[in-house]
Amino acid sequence: MAAPSPEVMARYEAVIGLEIHAQLATATKIFCGCPTGFGAPPNTNVCPVCLGMPGALPVLNREAVELAIKAGLALNCAIRPRSRFARKNYFYPDLPKGYQISQYDEPLAEHGYVDITADGHAMRIGITRVHMEDDAGKSIHDGFKDSDRYSYVDLNRSGTPLIEIVSEPDMRSSSEAYAYLAAVKQVLEFVEVSTCDMEKGHLRCDANVSVRVKGADKLGTKAEVKNLNSFRFLKEALDYEIVRQIALIENGGRVVQETRLYNPDTGETAGMRSKEEAHDYRYFPEPDLVPLRVSESWLARVRSGMPELPARKRARFISDYGLREYDADVLTQTRAASEYFETAARVSGDPKTAANWVMGDLMGMLKAAGKEISESPVSAANLGDLVKRMATGELSGKLAKDVFAKMFAKGEPASAVIEREGLKQISDTGALEKIIAEVIAGNPKQVEQYQGGKTTVINFLVGQAMKATRGQANVAVVTDLLKQKLG
Amino acid sequence: MKLTETEVRYVAGLANLNLSDAEVRKFQADLDEILAHIDRLNEIDTSGIEPMAQVLYDTEETATLRADVAVPPLGNPAALANAPQPGGGYFKVPKVIER
């Protein structure tokens, strides 16, 4: 089918809602005490509860509830004082109970929102609900010598605590969906609800997509696109799916409601030939768990333990430290970066310069070394100390860069590098006078120009003095001395 | 009859059951009786009474939550002890194409 022309595309708009699953950062599973570690040998972190053995009973993990409440609060949701679990029934080999324990009619959190910026526009994306559920195990369909006949099931992941974050259908393009996913990920990382490691599957995403002629009230028929487990896949799959649906309608066809799987190898989505009735999950209240009641005092405790959220932090960086919007954005991308900056800023006494160092030299070198900011060889306090030494005139800008490179390479504080390399800035007038005398003697032409009124020549002479001291001379002191001597 | 034969087959399908025609007729009658009984319960006036799908109790906060502390899991040999077809530490099942 031919792709629709840009003119045709422009007549339509997409309507997108996302379902994001995030793994909660607990030590143990949601309904049993098995560890949640990643990468253990198959079927080792399992017990009768997560193996779905008859008679085994679930007991809800308090920490999982607390993290889910935090996520709800961070996403501006109302927390229900009473929520409950429900069984979602379906058959699949990696779901040993024959049902998933989820929340259906009474989710833990609802009516939230996230503010995003996409394509230069600020907008608010509604969050319908945040509910808790257990994860299924993992089926492996390829890679074994008898994989043509058998699937292999590992139940280590079975019972891992998840939250599902369901958005309103408020997004109109793949870039809005991208910005929304990024905003949710940022918030979940900030409140340490989830590590959001997409490569490990800690954050997974499905999308509901439909298209309609712009201005139409009625929603088009939607397709659910699964397997959008990276930002790139999300964008590619949505772009493909939107074009596919518009082309279908333009050619006189109809979008059918179905589940489609994104194939990253082809960049296309394809319908899954699932049985119609596979979506009849027959939800009913989970009889093995009492309703979840969150008291006001518990909620207040969680609320008071919430860290500052990225949006507020960003605003504060601008108002308190005088940072530019872009810089405040960069420095609040992760909690680690924001905390690093604040420590460095506090120690340095010069937040703007500290911000430039964090975003420039530090992030550049970390990137080149393939390291996260949490693994930085230069601690935030040590970077702050370096910036302070610049502010007080002990180090010139050029010297500071050299010192920083050595701090980064060896993990040493500035003082150790300066001591060893003898890199201290020379501010002592006595030591500089000799050098200045040499500069004046060695550049008679420039001295004559200066004394003849061409005062900008002073910069050349200062440069000569800096060169003679391998950049260690204090520029301000050198300039003053030169002016005195040349009178 | 409150239930159609098609409904019985549909429900059986959801439960992964293959019923013979005779069984379909038997369950149609059985389920019908169950539904008739539920209808009798529906005659009771329950307005103002909180539904009790789970045990309810009067606390502000769920008291039966578990601390997030790991307990030793079963381990692989015990986990696979009853598996009809273990292999390489996994449960092996007939090839699954899609969900």
Side-chain angles (χ1 to χ4, degrees), chain B:
Chain B
M1 287 277 181
K2 302 173 88 62
L3 266 184
T4 65
E5 193 188 307
T6 314
E7 284 170 326
V8 173
R9 289 189 194 279
Y10 176 75
V11 172
L14 288 175
N16 263 9
L17 297 174
N18 282 318
L19 302 185
S20 66
D21 290 347
E23 283 169 326
V24 169
R25 280 191 295 279
K26 176 179 160 24
F27 284 119
Q28 192 179 358
D30 284 0
L31 289 170
D32 226 62
E33 276 178 40
I34 293 170
L35 290 177
H37 182 66
I38 299 293
D39 273 349
R40 282 193 62 205
L41 293 179
N42 278 340
E43 290 165 17
I44 302 164
D45 178 13
T46 56
S47 53
I49 296 171
E50 195 175 349
M52 197 179 111
Q54 296 113 327
V55 180
L56 296 175
Y57 53 92
D58 282 332
T59 51
E60 272 216 327
E61 194 171 306
T62 311
T64 51
L65 299 176
R66 183 175 59 77
D68 187 26
V69 177
V71 294
L74 271 188
N76 189 269
L80 295 179
N82 294 329
Q85 209 165 6
Y90 293 87
F91 295 92
K92 280 168 73 172
V93 297
K95 182 79 175 173
V96 193
I97 306 301
E98 61 181 325
R99 193 181 283 263

Side-chain angles (χ1 to χ4, degrees), chain A residues 214-345:
Chain A
K214 274 183 189 158
D217 293 334
K218 229 177 124 232
L219 290 173
T221 306
K222 69 178 178 187
E224 184 182 6
V225 186
K226 287 187 174 285
N227 200 25
L228 309 177
N229 297 330
S230 78
F231 281 94
R232 190 165 62 87
F233 292 176
L234 172 70
K235 197 161 190 328
E236 287 174 0
L238 288 176
D239 286 337
Y240 175 86
E241 182 62 18
I242 292 165
V243 171
R244 184 189 74 87
Q245 292 189 12
I246 293 173
L248 200 59
I249 294 168
E250 283 292 313
N251 286 281
R254 262 182 43 215
V255 176
V256 292
Q257 182 156 354
E258 62 177 347
T259 303
R260 298 179 69 84
L261 200 62
Y262 176 64
N263 181 343
D265 296 331
T266 60
E268 295 176 357
T269 66
M272 298 170 69
R273 295 176 304 265
S274 37
K275 285 182 285 181
E276 187 94 345
E277 65 212 36
H279 285 296
D280 187 345
Y281 293 123
R282 292 148 296 144
Y283 283 96
F284 65 88
E286 167 60 66
D288 288 343
L289 289 166
V290 296
L292 173 58
R293 291 174 187 274
V294 178
S295 66
E296 273 180 37
S297 60
W298 187 9
L299 185 57
R301 268 201 316 282
V302 176
R303 205 186 284 277
S304 68
M306 291 284 284
E308 188 177 35
L309 295 175
R312 166 163 289 195
K313 212 179 255 295
R314 183 177 169 281
R316 190 167 57 78
F317 282 7
I318 293 169
S319 64
D320 289 10
Y321 299 129
L323 299 191
R324 292 176 303 168
E325 282 193 17
Y326 174 81
D327 297 352
D329 256 355
V330 173
L331 292 171
T332 52
Q333 276 313 300
T334 64
R335 183 159 164 191
S338 69
E339 285 174 352
Y340 189 104
F341 161 71
E342 283 216 273
T343 303

Side-chain angles (χ1 to χ4, degrees), chain A residues 377-451:
Chain A
V378 179
S379 73
N382 282 349
L383 178 63
D385 174 59
L386 178 73
V387 173
K388 187 177 171 188
R389 285 169 194 269
M390 276 174 66
T392 56
E394 187 190 332
L395 291 176
S396 67
K398 186 185 172 305
L399 270 183
K401 281 195 188 288
D402 293 347
V403 171
F404 179 77
K406 289 179 171 127
M407 289 166 73
F408 194 92
K410 303 208 164 166
E412 293 173 331
S415 56
V417 177
I418 292 166
E419 185 76 18
R420 193 182 54 241
E421 314 258 335
L423 290 173
K424 243 188 167 73
Q425 178 159 273
I426 308 167
S427 305
D428 175 40
T429 334
L432 289 174
E433 279 198 347
K434 190 172 155 276
I435 291 157
I436 298 227
E438 282 169 17
V439 168
I440 292 176
N443 299 283
K445 207 177 111 198
Q446 284 79 6
V447 169
E448 199 188 309
Q449 285 175 344
Y450 179 83
Q451 285 167 336

